Structure formats: structure tokens, C-alpha cells
Amino acid sequence: MRKEDLVYRAIEAREMSYSPYSKFAVGAALLTSDGEVYLGTNIENAAYGLTMCAERNAIFNAYCHGVTQDDIEALAIVADTDLPVSPCGSCRQVLSELFPHDKEIYLANLKGDIKVVKIEDLLPYSFDSDDL
Ligand code: THU
């Protein structure tokens, strides 16, 4: 799948955002090697700290369907930002454990800008299970 098509699926996911507090809608789409796409969007709560980000919802959604690191091909994340969206620190930490380090992450905005990164670019020198 072309990265633009995965970003388009993330834009579709973004339309389902529940973000009445921040009004900042984010969408994510995770592609597996068998061509399945798992969507995620940000879901907020009046108790703000309970909010879950789009990219974490996408990767948790995939894992809930039996997907593992070996199955994952790419992840697209999109928001209405000037520059391609920058994932929050919590999502970087979760992705560094669950998302394969050799696969690409497409950071995008609604203007069509796409920045291609790997998790190592987003979270170098990460804390992981080897540190325990
Ligand atoms: N948000 C995401 O969904 N992903 C990120 O990486 C950054 C932040 C959401 C959380 C909250 O609903 C809104 O964006 C504003 O922080």
C-alpha cells in the first residue's frame, strides 16, 4: 500500500475522533503484512488524564486482533497541524515496545505533508525491558 493511502485511512479514522475538550482530532492507521489496516483515533474524557491517543488506540486495536510485531508493516498518524504531527512522549514509549524498529512511521497533516521516520528517530536511547 502506498503511504498516501495509509494516511488516507488515518484521515478516515480521525473523523471518528472524540475530542470535545481539546478539539484536536488525530487519526492513525496501522498496516499489517497481510494487508489488514487497524484504525485508531483519540478518545478524550472529562477526566482529562484518561484520554487515549490515536496511535496508541491503533496499535492496541491491532494487538487485540492478534497482531504481533512480526506482522506490522507501517503506521500512519495524521492531525490538522502545520508540520507533520509529532507523537506525544507516551505514544513514543509505547510504540518503542510494540512497533518494529525497522518499519516506517508516516507522520502527516491534512495538507499532504508526510514525514517518514522510524521509532528510533522519535525515541532514541529508550527505556525498555533490557533496562529492568
Ligand atoms: N493526541 C494524540 O492522539 N496523539 C498524539 O500523539 C498527541 C496528542 C491527542 C490527545 C488529545 O486528545 C489531543 O490530541 C490533544 O492533546
Side-chain angles (χ1 to χ4, degrees):
M1 183 183 283
R2 295 179 326 132
K3 56 182 182 301
E4 289 80 6
D5 295 328
L6 194 61
V7 169
Y8 183 73
R9 297 299 308 274
I11 291 171
E12 286 180 340
R14 181 179 172 275
E15 281 156 20
M16 296 181 277
S17 171
Y18 177 75
S19 44
Y21 306 105
S22 73
K23 306 199 185 326
F24 186 75
V26 185
L30 182 145
L31 175 68
T32 62
S33 44
D34 61 4
E36 284 294 322
V37 175
Y38 296 89
L39 302 181
T41 189
N42 55 325
I43 308 288
E44 299 187 343
N45 192 275
Y48 298 162
L50 301 182
T51 292
M52 183 51 66
C53 291
E55 52 273 59
R56 267 182 289 163
N57 272 333
I59 198 159
F60 292 159
N61 181 19
Y63 271 70
C64 284
H65 286 85
V67 169
T68 67
Q69 285 221 22
D70 292 344
D71 309 316
I72 294 174
E73 276 302 315
L75 173 68
I77 311 167
V78 67
D80 188 11
T81 42
D82 187 27
L83 298 174
V85 65
S86 175
C88 80
S90 298
C91 289
R92 293 174 194 222
Q93 177 66 27
V94 168
L95 291 173
S96 79
E97 177 145 348
L98 301 181
F99 190 84
H101 286 217
D102 60 330
K103 299 295 180 177
E104 291 179 338
I105 301 173
Y106 311 140
L107 307 178
N109 60 18
L110 296 182
K111 298 186 293 184
D113 301 320
I114 302 177
K115 182 178 172 67
V116 181
V117 297
K118 294 192 174 153
I119 189 61
E120 198 69 32
D121 303 317
L122 297 176
L123 191 65
Y125 193 54
S126 62
F127 177 79
D128 61 32
S129 58
D130 294 338
D131 296 308
L132 294 173

